Amino acid sequence: MSEIRKDPTSHTWIVLSTERGKRPSDFREREVGPPSALRPCPFCGGEEMAPPEDVHAIWPGEIDKRTKGWKTRVLPNKYPALRPGIELSQAEADTIYHLLSGVGAHEVIVESPNHEDTLATMPPSQIEAVIRTYCQRYKFWRRDPRVTFVLIFKNYGVAAGASLEHPHSQLVATPIIPPRIFEELEEAKDYYLRNKECIYCRMIKAEAEAKVSRKVLENDTMFALCPFASRFPCELYILPKKHAAALEEITQKEVSDLAKMISKVFRRMNKVLNDPPYNFMIHVAPLRTPGLLFYHWHIEIIPRLTMPAGFEWGTGIYINIISPEDAAKALRQAK
Ligand SMILES: [Zn+2]
Ligand SMILES: [Zn+2]
Ligand SMILES: [Zn+2]
């Protein structure tokens, strides 16, 4: 069973998840290459993924109306960091330590039946099915009073932390608001109180009008940019042009535009960076406050081209060796 521990000297929380039964000496040997390459893919199968009896264990994802085959699937993570069905409890230890039970959820969203698919090669209609599955999962977890926040993310490539090749995203539902989200909420609220405007809406306007723009792409309802203070080379945000704090408020037109935008962004990233490893994260408002006027859902994409090192770990300040202006220009021009 996992625990969520608070560091008494900072805003850091950690999840202690010892399900894999590792011992310190197991790290003497360094893993090289994708560990999955030698095993049969667990997500390629059909019937073996049928739901076990546990109600928390599996949901169907999306079915293709024509072929009756699955388009997306939602499965429990084999080694869940957090799990549903347990009490949310807190405890103190040694008078200075604070911890919570590891309640929440950890799911895998299989994005396609096709093992070779990537976000750059999938047809946008398949990406639409993935977005609808994300929305369904947010709606599902909104009903659980123990869950406060849901992060949907994707690790692509070994250097980005992926252990399986088959296209998939993950969902972790937490009983706390993660520090990174808390920070964004605080900044956005502060800006809103001073200016009566959402900082993200303002940022889209600023980038659309800027002389030296960090805009990468836009369509009717979506906008992609390299953020002004990009932490990593070619870091990228995708935002809806119309203000919304929760992804599941998305309209069918926006789903379609977002799918096209994701497809284009990753095809261009492949052109410029040659199929880089990356992390993809969706930031939404906490589940109890879906209609916030000052928070604006967005996707953050970080190609993993450089490694945070001592300075980054020691200060929380990132040294970025490519300007977001140059990154945006290269991605704009990569047709
Ligand atoms: Zn597969
Ligand atoms: Zn906004
Ligand atoms: Zn964010």
Side-chain angles (χ1 to χ4, degrees), residues 198-202 204 240-244 293-296:
C198 158
I199 181 65
Y200 297 89
C201 288
R202 185 75 198 88
I204 293 170
K241 286 183 180 173
K242 187 169 156 271
H243 181 85
L293 294 174
F294 58 80
Y295 195 73
H296 194 120

Side-chain angles (χ1 to χ4, degrees), residues 40-45 110 112-116 165-167:
C41 172
F43 302 152
C44 268
V110 186
S112 162
N114 180 3
H115 188 89
E116 312 299 327
E165 279 173 351
H166 197 109

Side-chain angles (χ1 to χ4, degrees), residues 85-103:
I86 55 176
E87 282 298 306
L88 172 58
S89 60
Q90 49 176 326
E92 309 295 328
D94 304 324
T95 72
I96 54 170
Y97 300 123
H98 183 73
L99 64 113
L100 301 172
S101 54
V103 64

Side-chain angles (χ1 to χ4, degrees), residues 112-147:
S112 162
N114 180 3
H115 188 89
E116 312 299 327
D117 270 353
T118 69
L119 289 179
T121 62
M122 261 182 226
S125 62
Q126 183 65 34
I127 301 178
E128 285 185 29
V130 174
I131 298 165
R132 284 192 296 267
T133 307
Y134 291 165
C135 291
Q136 186 237 331
R137 300 321 299 151
Y138 286 120
K139 282 181 192 147
F140 179 90
W141 287 110
R142 199 176 284 291
R143 297 198 293 263
D144 189 325
R146 290 163 301 187
V147 170

Side-chain angles (χ1 to χ4, degrees), residues 184 283 298 300:
E184 286 188 356
H283 279 174
H298 56 277
E300 298 190 7

